[in-house]
Amino acid sequence: MMRVEGPKRRVYTEELELRATEFHGHGGPFMIVGLRMGLAALKALDAMGWFGLRCRVFLKWAPPDSCVIDGVQVSTGCTMGKHNIEVEEDDGVSAEFVSGESRVTVTLREGVLSDIRRSLKDGLEATQVCMKWLREAETGEVFELK
């Protein structure tokens, strides 16, 4: 059996987004949110990814919100197949990550969630502007970490 031994990169790259897009089938703001949530958690926990990490995602368990799940899977290596990711129905978008005795909750700021929803209603150009901002914004502008 092959096993990944090196730590996951903790930075957002075009390659990471491409891998997530191929996994998910299309790109979008909620997938980017999931990628960024996972990367923020790996950094905060000083975690390797794939193994020794558990995640519980809280969101509306339907698209487009549920696209966050695929972003989290790609960025952290927590997967449905390994049973180290769970999903619970919620109105917001957040995820709790646990590595050993350490834990962090990454919550999408309410204003950012509203902006994403508005961009999706306003059409492709607004959504692309939103996605660009989500890629480039500082972690603290997008999320609250506890």
Side-chain angles (χ1 to χ4, degrees):
M1 175 170 83
M2 294 176 53
R3 184 178 173 121
V4 177
E5 298 297 332
K8 293 206 55 99
R9 288 191 66 197
R10 297 178 186 149
V11 295
Y12 197 98
T13 64
E14 287 182 31
E15 179 186 352
L16 179 68
E17 186 175 333
L18 178 59
R19 286 181 34 230
T21 300
E22 290 172 343
F23 176 77
H24 184 64
H26 66 92
F30 283 103
M31 185 192 71
I32 291 172
V33 166
L35 288 170
R36 299 257 346 244
M37 288 178 103
L39 294 172
L42 289 175
K43 185 174 182 179
L45 297 170
D46 194 28
M48 181 174 134
W50 295 291
F51 302 98
L53 183 66
R54 296 196 54 74
C55 176
R56 184 177 304 159
V57 182
F58 302 89
L59 45 61
K60 289 184 180 180
W61 192 208
D65 296 34
S66 59
C67 299
V68 167
I69 300 162
D70 286 349
V72 169
Q73 289 185 102
V74 171
S75 63
T76 65
C78 289
T79 64
M80 301 300 271
K82 289 196 300 286
H83 292 262
N84 60 348
I85 188 170
E86 301 171 28
V87 180
E88 292 190 26
E89 184 77 23
D90 196 89
D91 287 332
V93 175
S94 65
E96 178 185 66
F97 298 85
V98 178
S99 177
E101 298 297 314
S102 300
R103 81 180 50 234
V104 66
T105 300
V106 182
T107 303
L108 183 64
R109 293 191 179 277
E110 193 172 307
V112 175
L113 179 56
S114 296
D115 290 347
I116 293 169
R117 291 193 196 294
R118 189 176 317 106
S119 79
L120 291 170
K121 288 180 182 175
D122 289 347
L124 182 59
E125 186 176 328
T127 301
Q128 289 174 335
V129 168
C130 180
M131 290 169 61
K132 181 178 185 330
W133 183 83
L134 287 168
R135 287 180 194 106
E136 297 173 356
E138 295 295 325
T139 300
E141 293 179 85
V142 181
F143 304 108
E144 182 180 336
L145 276 69
K146 290 183 185 175

